[in-house]
Structure formats: structure tokens, C-alpha cells
Amino acid sequence: SPSARAHSLAFRTPFALLFSNRQTARKLGGKRGALADGLLRHSRISQESLICLLDGVPVANHDLLAGRVIVWDPDELDARPLSTVVNRRHGTAMASVLVWGDLNAGEPPTNRPILVRPILTPSPATNPPSEELPEGVLAPDLMWRVFRELFEGVDGQPPLTPNAVIVNLSVGDRAMPFDVLPSAWARAVDWLSHEYGVLVVVSAGNHPVLTVAGLSMSELQALSGEDRRTAIRSAMYEQAGSRRLLSPAEALNALTVGAIHHDEAGDVAVGYRLDPGDGIDMVHPLSALGRGQRRAVKPDLASAGGRTYLAAKPGHETTLMSGSSSLGPGIKVATASTERPTTGSSFIAGTSPAAALISRHGGHLHDLLDSLEGWPRSTSRAQRSVAIKALLVHEASWPDLETKPFEADRVWGYGSVQRDLTLGCAENEATVIFLGRLGSNQEQRLVVPLPAGLHQVGVKQVIATLAWLSPINPGHRQYRKAKLTFAKPHGLVPTSALKSQTVESRAAQRGTVQQQSYVTQRASTAGQGTPLSLAIKCVEQAGGLGGQEVDYAVALSLWVAPELEIDVYQQVRAELRAVTRIQPRP
């Protein structure tokens, strides 16, 4: 239909351009102190923010954060009696991950400031005080107020950060594990995400206690390698009913992130604790695991969550608790203590830093999109959000790690980031990003020109990822109003010869992101310029769209085995550049 137009761009970022951007990041990161006095006095800088962190109050004058975070605290949570520097743990840690990633990885800081809107405060009901929502505050109401402040403006004020496209929510309600119906918090996140066109990245949640039945601590320590990892996974599987996603991780429009037992801390002494992976990466023993609403794929992605060594709970030799140490392991982050209020660091683990790492990478992908030749500067926030969502999942695939007795997609979702598109494409692959809008019962056919040389017998792979933000109907059983799907691509070889991989297609069609990988070894009769096409369809559900159109993005990659010696990227790039766009008459 005329309303379902799409933009297509073959992209490849030269290393020199990336290096230049990162040099700029170091220069921007050198600012100190000027951003801490109030957000409204720095409206220009707040408009540069791509990521908003909803978390605890950070130690904004920490040496690693000063000049790199903007704190907007209209509820004055920083003025509460327990909001001392020492108690500002979680917000400081998440801000550190968004700015620096894992400090042990040695990566440069982000080249844009992070906007922090505190929603958590230390609770007097816990010892030591844990950061929670303020007493008497309802999460859905708080989310509504916060999103209006950020993207709409309240009390006659302009929106605080109109250009932000990612909201990081490394927060979960341990009292509200997901059970069949989405929580009020998740429903609010779904509605706000679509209403304002924002990608919300949510942590899956953590379960810090694990009971291993039938094995004592000494017997667990005697196990090694895959035997120990199998024992830990089996214990997680047996208790899966009590280790579900924590609200609002079941949100359909959100990108939910689980954790992998991995970090950059290197070798760390175990002591009297137990390394559940015995030196090998595995699903994180703290991570909450899906599925989501109507058995949708959840978590959507998995990322490094830091290693945690387990210790026996006193009096319960087979009950393990996550242990922490100032020496690690884990994700190294900025922290504050009485002795080192602005220079300290510590180690954390779980799905919270895993989600923050995904948000940080999403910011890098946004900068990549901005650098693309021909990228439309008029793209809306919703279009940029779905493009980032599609690319984040597009980069992912299942890690080569054992998951039994779990199904792989229940542990990893669509996987972890296995390739970084900000570093560009190799000669034997090309990735194209499409943007478009679809209404009810509309279809858009996306076309990518194929290169020459595909007549050779050898491995050829097509990876397609579709993402959108759906309006919702909370009172309807189907909940999701817009169902977008795609079928097998046409034009490379007969569709019967394309072998589908990754997530089972029915499960993949229950959320708001879908990735499929198709592989063939057959020779293709398609020549240079012959199109590879992929049809995207939209079907309304849950009472209908009422004439609404839905923004979507598709990332499509063509990869051929290097031994075939086909310069896929240059040929596809040349064909796309030669396309003459013809605008339809009004």
C-alpha cells in the first residue's frame, strides 16, 4: 500500500569513522562537574542524551561519573535521611555500566551524557537499606509521571529529553513474579513504550538463593566441568516455578535481558565459595527465566551479568547464596564507601548490569545509524527505537553453551550479541535496515539485490529480524493489537531448500520481535541484481487497531561462506546505490 513505505540502507561503518567517534567520546568524557547543578540549566545537553536510567540516586560526583551523568530528581529522593553516599549503590552501579560498561574491559566512555531520573530510595525496612520504590508510590502511576516528564513535558515545561530513545529499567519486583497475566507495571510499560515510541530495556530479575537437592556443598565442590554445571542447571530447572520473571520483565514491548555467567575480571580466588561454572560460561544461576505472556519468547536477549561465586547458607548445606567480594569476580562498577566516597569500585552480578550493557550498546547502534550515508534525519523517535530494537536482536545468536534440561530459547531468548555491527560487515556479508509503517491487513515486500557468484555450491545464510512496538488492549485476552510476521525469503533458492534455524517460529510470533535464520548449501540460479524479497504482514488483534499504523524495522543480512570468494557487501551496496527512487503521485 502507498502508506507502507520503507527505507533501505546497506551499511558498513569504516573503522576510521568508529575510531574518530570514540576519540570524540574521550574528549566529551573529560568534562567535570558542570552538569550536576540542575537539568533545566543544561537543556541543550539533556537533548543529547540517548539513554535515560530509571534507578536509584547515583553518586553523581564520583570521579567516573562526574560530567557524564545528569540527575533529574523532582521527587527529591536524594534529600531523604537514608540516601547517604554509602547507600547509593544500585543507581551508581547502573550509571557506571551505562557510561563505561565493565570497567575491567577497558572500553571508552559513551560520547553522550546519561540522564538519570531516580525512582528508588533506600528502605528503612531492610538492613542494610536496599533501594526500593518509595513507600506509598504505585509503579504504574510513577511510570506515567516519569514518561510524561521525559517526552511530553508537564506543568508547562518542555520535555526533558525529547531525543532519548532508550529507557533502562534494571529494576524488578520480587513480590510480583510473572504468572499468566501481565502485571499492572508491565502493562504500563507496554502502553508508555508504544505511546511515546521508546525502547524500554528491562532486566529479567534475580533469584539470589538456589537449593541443590541431594548434594552437599562438599559433593558439589567435588564435581567438575560439565557435571557441576549440569547439577546447577538441574536445580534451577526443578525450581523454575519459583524463579520466574520479575515484574515488569514480562512487558511485551520491552526488550527483556537475562544474564550469562561471564565478566572480564579474569582469574579470581574462589576460597571457600563455589564457582558454579567451574571456569566456563553458563546460564547465570541468579537469572530469572521465561517464558512471557502467552508463552512469548522471554528473556529476549542474554548478556554478560558477571560471575558470582556461591556460598552455603548457614545451617543449610545444600542451599546456596550468591557471595560477593571486593576482589570479584563480577562486573566492575563505580561505587562509594566511607573511605572512598568518589573513587571506589566494586563488583556486581545479575541481570541488572546485563540489561545496562545492552542499553549501552543500543546507544552505540543509534550513533551508527546516524552515521549511515542516506539515513533520513527526519526519522521519528519510534522509528529509531524499533531500528535499535531490531539491530540488537539481529546481532544475537545462541552461544555455544549447553542449556539442558532447559530449551535454549528459554535461557537465552534470541541469544547474546555475537557480532558487533558497529564494527562493520565483512566482505562476504551485507546487512540492510528497513523502516516502514503498516496498518491492519497490509503487506510490505522488502527487496535486497543479490550478488553474482551464488551459483556455486556452498553455505549461504539469510538472517532476518523484525521489531515493532504494538498498541495494547489490557482488557482483551490477546492483549497485543498488532501482530507482524514474515515468511521465508524468496529469490535465493526454492523456499523448501531453506532450512530454518534458531527460535521455533510459533513462539517467535508471540512477542514484538522476531528473528529467523535460514541456511542452504544449494547452488542458486539467481544472478547479480536478482532480488531477494521478504514480505512483512500486519494483522490486527485484541479488538483491532482502529485505523492506527505501526512503525516497524527489519534488519536483513546475507552471508556466504568465505571460501566462495564473493564480495557480497560491495555488490549489494552498488546495486542499492543504483536504485532510483520514484515517488508516487498524491
Side-chain angles (χ1 to χ4, degrees):
S1 73
S3 61
R5 301 171 188 167
H7 302 287
S8 60
L9 299 161
F11 63 91
R12 182 185 195 179
T13 303
F15 179 77
L17 177 60
L18 178 66
F19 183 79
S20 175
N21 285 340
R22 291 190 174 179
Q23 290 295 323
T24 304
R26 293 190 181 96
K27 293 176 183 177
L28 290 175
K31 299 178 181 178
R32 289 288 187 274
L35 308 181
D37 297 331
L39 180 61
L40 295 181
R41 293 169 57 187
H42 303 281
S43 58
R44 182 187 64 79
I45 297 177
S46 70
Q47 290 182 4
E48 295 176 0
S49 298
L50 295 176
I51 303 173
C52 177
L53 171 64
L54 306 185
D55 213 282
V57 181
V59 181
N61 64 341
H62 193 286
D63 284 359
L64 292 171
L65 302 182
R68 298 184 174 97
V69 299
I70 308 169
V71 180
W72 173 246
D73 187 15
D75 297 334
E76 297 183 342
L77 298 183
D78 65 339
R80 299 203 172 194
L82 287 178
S83 187
T84 61
V85 168
V86 175
N87 288 335
R88 299 182 185 183
R89 300 183 185 90
H90 201 267
T92 303
M94 293 305 101
S96 175
V97 175
L98 289 174
V99 172
W100 294 97
D102 187 344
L103 288 172
N104 275 324
E107 297 179 355
T110 56
N111 61 353
R112 299 174 188 253
I114 304 299
L115 175 64
V116 183
R117 202 306 190 174
I119 62 170
L120 306 180
T121 187
S123 170
T126 57
N127 186 25
S130 63
E131 292 164 278
E132 302 174 356
L133 293 179
E135 186 176 357
V137 172
L138 296 176
D141 176 68
L142 177 61
M143 292 296 101
W144 179 69
R145 288 195 292 114
V146 167
F147 275 69
R148 286 184 65 216
E149 291 170 6
L150 297 175
F151 306 112
E152 183 179 335
V154 295
D155 299 328
Q157 297 293 333
L160 298 177
T161 176
N163 294 319
V165 292
I166 299 173
V167 171
N168 189 89
L169 194 60
S170 291
V171 180
D173 186 349
R174 198 167 294 173
M176 284 291 292
F178 172 63
D179 185 15
V180 183
L181 297 177
S183 65
W185 194 350
R187 294 197 300 270
V189 167
D190 279 331
W191 183 80
L192 291 165
S193 176
H194 173 263
E195 180 73 10
Y196 293 105
V198 180
L199 174 59
V200 182
V201 179
V202 184
S203 57
N206 301 321
H207 295 282
V209 178
L210 177 67
T211 300
V212 184
L215 290 173
S216 67
M217 183 68 167
S218 57
E219 290 172 329
L220 268 176
Q221 289 174 326
L223 295 177
S224 62
E226 188 57 35
D227 291 337
R228 183 186 297 181
R229 292 188 288 276
T230 298
I232 296 295
R233 289 196 306 270
S234 297
M236 295 171 64
Y237 185 80
E238 291 165 4
Q239 299 160 58
S242 60
R243 301 175 67 84
R244 291 166 289 171
L245 301 172
L246 301 185
S247 173
E250 73 271 24
L252 201 67
N253 281 329
L255 203 60
T256 304
V257 183
I260 300 174
H261 197 252
H262 175 80
D263 56 47
E264 302 295 333
D267 294 333
V268 177
V270 178
Y272 294 102
R273 300 171 296 170
L274 174 79
D275 178 1
D278 195 22
I280 302 296
D281 295 347
M282 63 176 293
V283 56
H284 207 291
L286 303 186
S287 184
L289 302 176
R291 304 179 187 271
Q293 188 204 7
R294 303 190 73 196
R295 299 189 63 77
V297 175
K298 289 288 176 179
D300 300 283
L301 294 175
S303 182
R307 290 172 294 161
T308 181
Y309 291 165
L310 305 177
K313 187 176 181 180
H316 301 271
E317 198 172 30
T318 58
T319 300
L320 306 177
M321 301 182 66
S322 60
S324 60
S325 169
S326 59
L327 300 177
I331 303 294
K332 189 175 183 180
V333 297
T335 192
S337 63
T338 304
E339 298 79 16
R340 304 176 65 188
T342 62
T343 61
S345 62
S346 62
F347 296 88
I348 61 171
T351 59
S352 290
L357 286 172
I358 290 295
S359 294
R360 169 181 162 84
H361 187 57
H364 293 162
L365 288 171
H366 180 281
D367 289 340
L368 167 67
L369 291 173
D370 262 354
S371 71
L372 297 183
E373 179 185 349
W375 177 256
R377 295 295 182 260
S378 60
T379 51
S380 66
R381 182 168 56 232
Q383 289 172 323
R384 288 179 289 142
S385 297
V386 294
I388 293 170
K389 185 177 183 179
L391 290 173
L392 282 169
V393 177
H394 194 70
E395 293 181 329
S397 58
W398 289 340
D400 187 19
L401 299 171
E402 184 58 68
T403 62
K404 292 179 181 178
F406 289 104
E407 297 168 289
D409 64 314
R410 189 173 171 185
V411 172
W412 313 124
Y414 290 100
S416 61
V417 173
Q418 300 291 311
R419 56 179 181 152
D420 187 350
L421 289 173
T422 64
L423 301 179
C425 299
E427 293 181 354
N428 61 313
E429 64 176 334
T431 299
V432 183
I433 182 77
F434 295 87
L435 296 180
R437 289 174 65 86
L438 285 175
S440 174
N441 298 319
Q442 291 183 349
E443 176 178 319
Q444 173 71 46
R445 188 166 294 276
L446 312 180
V447 176
V448 178
L450 291 172
L454 297 178
H455 60 278
Q456 304 174 73
V457 175
V459 178
K460 306 169 186 70
Q461 183 178 29
V462 177
I463 305 173
T465 307
L466 165 67
W468 71 101
L469 300 173
S470 175
I472 63 167
N473 181 353
H476 197 283
R477 178 181 63 87
Q478 290 180 315
Y479 187 69
R480 178 188 61 176
K481 287 187 175 183
K483 176 184 178 180
L484 273 65
T485 59
F486 63 81
K488 285 186 177 182
H490 292 267
L492 181 63
V493 293
T495 54
S496 59
L498 286 174
K499 182 181 179 182
S500 180
Q501 295 185 332
T502 67
V503 177
E504 193 268 325
S505 60
R506 285 177 296 179
Q509 293 180 17
R510 292 174 181 144
T512 56
V513 64
Q514 178 184 355
Q515 185 202 75
Q516 288 292 307
S517 174
Y518 306 96
V519 177
T520 184
Q521 292 195 14
R522 288 183 54 169
S524 174
T525 58
Q528 186 170 9
T530 303
L532 171 74
S533 64
L534 184 71
I536 310 297
K537 300 180 181 180
C538 177
V539 178
E540 62 181 358
Q541 296 180 319
L545 287 169
Q548 283 182 290
E549 291 186 329
V550 178
D551 289 295
Y552 74 89
V554 172
L556 183 66
S557 290
L558 173 64
W559 180 93
V560 301
E563 56 267 22
L564 298 184
E565 297 183 349
I566 302 174
D567 192 344
V568 176
Y569 177 81
Q570 291 296 344
Q571 291 191 54
V572 171
R573 181 170 182 257
E575 291 287 341
L576 285 176
R577 279 188 163 184
V579 172
T580 301
R581 299 180 184 274
I582 301 176
Q583 298 295 334
R585 292 182 179 179

